[in-house]
Amino acid sequence: MADTATTASAAAASAANASTDAPPFQLGKPRFQQTSFFGRFRHFLDIIDPRTLFVTERRLREAVQLLEDYKRGTLRPGVTNEQLWSAQKIKQAILHPDTNEKIFMPFRMSGYIPFGTPIVGLNVLVQKANKFTPATRLLVQRFVPFPAVASANICNVVLMRYGELEEGIDVLDGDGNLVGSSKIAARHALLETALTRVVLPMPILVLPPIVMSMLEKTALLQARPRLLLPVQSLVCLAAFGLALPLAISLFPQMSEIETSQLEPEIAQATSSRTVVYNKGL
């Protein structure tokens, strides 16, 4: 009955969207294709959109109600796909998926840039306060944090998710049915997450030193050294904003693996050639 109602809502929404560019709405599904890096990149840019931090209580209630109407098949005429995608974006950005409670702002994905920027700014101030003079020493100092942070991130992933290596993670068939628990899939998931954590600090710790080493040689900054700090802050902020969506877009959230690569009992438990698993973040 619920499926019939949802289908009716989908048909109504599609009719109202014949002239728009928004893709057909799918409840609980990403708006952009997850099979390409660009699609995943656009998806995660949507997730970290800081504008959702300013959504009012009334707008949140309206978004939740709109999605409920869609689910029940009681969607009012004229609702567009764009409105439905916007409502789902708001709900997913603010409410916890399991408890439906509001997530504290600094812990939301959309709070990554606004609440993390002061830390980046403090790092810039510390670097400028040190006033290292030898060029070689300065370059070494600039690039040393990256391998240190990347290594710490890998250790963090392994320590926090070590239990998955011992117990395995759930793998699902194409219809979303649980096939079993796989330790091999867990290793793949941890490897993908570890690579993501290596790439995550790269734009922040590698790109700004490269860009600033070039900008510092320009006539403008040599003539006006006081501009160095604000320019470096802007460069760091731009790198900081791109770091998260770039890193987590490397692999699909639901990664696919052939059953022939997994444990024999997993391959025997399903007729599907491939299964999927949640790689985590």
Side-chain angles (χ1 to χ4, degrees):
M1 187 71 178
D3 290 341
T4 304
T6 302
T7 303
S9 287
S14 298
N17 280 278
S19 61
T20 66
D21 294 332
F25 179 73
Q26 293 181 286
L27 186 65
K29 301 291 185 180
R31 175 172 181 168
F32 305 102
Q33 289 292 331
Q34 299 297 287
T35 53
S36 68
F37 172 79
F38 184 63
R40 295 192 295 270
F41 181 67
R42 294 180 68 188
H43 170 67
F44 286 113
L45 278 180
D46 224 21
I47 287 179
I48 67 169
D49 186 351
R51 291 177 297 179
T52 57
L53 295 172
F54 303 100
V55 171
T56 63
E57 286 286 344
R58 178 180 176 182
R59 180 70 185 95
L60 175 60
R61 288 195 300 269
E62 290 174 351
V64 172
Q65 186 60 51
L66 189 63
L67 295 176
E68 283 296 317
D69 291 345
Y70 176 87
K71 187 176 181 180
R72 295 170 182 170
T74 57
L75 202 62
R76 66 180 184 274
V79 175
T80 64
N81 282 323
E82 187 62 44
Q83 289 175 306
L84 289 168
W85 285 120
S86 177
Q88 179 162 274
K89 173 181 175 179
I90 290 172
K91 180 181 178 182
Q92 291 179 344
I94 299 175
L95 301 182
H96 191 281
D98 296 327
T99 65
N100 274 330
E101 296 291 331
K102 291 181 69 174
I103 302 171
F104 188 44
M105 279 189 178
F107 300 140
R108 298 177 193 172
M109 293 286 281
S110 54
Y112 176 77
I113 296 175
F115 291 98
T117 297
I119 300 174
V120 175
L122 179 60
N123 182 52
V124 171
L125 287 172
V126 170
Q127 287 185 9
K128 300 311 289 186
N130 287 332
K131 295 181 179 178
F132 287 98
T133 49
T136 304
R137 186 178 177 187
L138 183 58
L139 282 175
V140 170
Q141 182 199 27
R142 283 174 170 176
F143 287 105
V144 160
F146 171 66
V149 172
S151 301
N153 284 344
I154 293 175
C155 292
N156 177 263
V157 171
V158 175
L159 291 173
M160 294 297 293
R161 298 176 58 180
Y162 181 77
E164 296 178 10
L165 294 175
E166 294 291 318
E167 301 174 5
I169 59 174
D170 292 342
V171 292
L172 313 173
D173 62 18
D175 297 323
N177 300 315
L178 178 64
V179 177
S181 183
S182 170
K183 295 180 182 179
I184 297 176
R187 289 202 296 268
H188 281 263
L190 260 68
L191 176 60
E192 291 172 354
T193 305
L195 290 174
T196 296
R197 298 291 183 89
V198 169
V199 174
L200 180 60
M202 190 179 294
I204 305 170
L205 299 177
V206 175
L207 290 182
I210 294 174
V211 174
M212 288 306 301
S213 64
M214 294 186 292
L215 293 179
E216 287 170 357
K217 298 175 183 177
T218 61
L220 176 63
L221 291 185
Q222 287 184 347
R224 297 175 176 83
R226 290 185 178 181
L227 292 178
L228 277 173
L229 184 58
V231 169
Q232 185 173 0
S233 299
L234 289 175
V235 171
C236 288
L237 180 59
F240 188 67
L242 287 174
L244 183 62
L246 279 173
I248 57 182
S249 299
L250 290 176
F251 303 100
Q253 186 63 44
M254 299 300 293
S255 294
E256 190 176 65
I257 187 172
E258 294 185 0
T259 53
S260 59
Q261 299 180 29
L262 301 178
E263 294 87 345
E265 58 269 23
I266 297 293
Q268 295 170 5
T270 179
S271 58
S272 299
R273 189 176 64 85
T274 60
V275 290
V276 297
Y277 58 89
N278 191 332
K279 73 172 180 64
L281 292 174

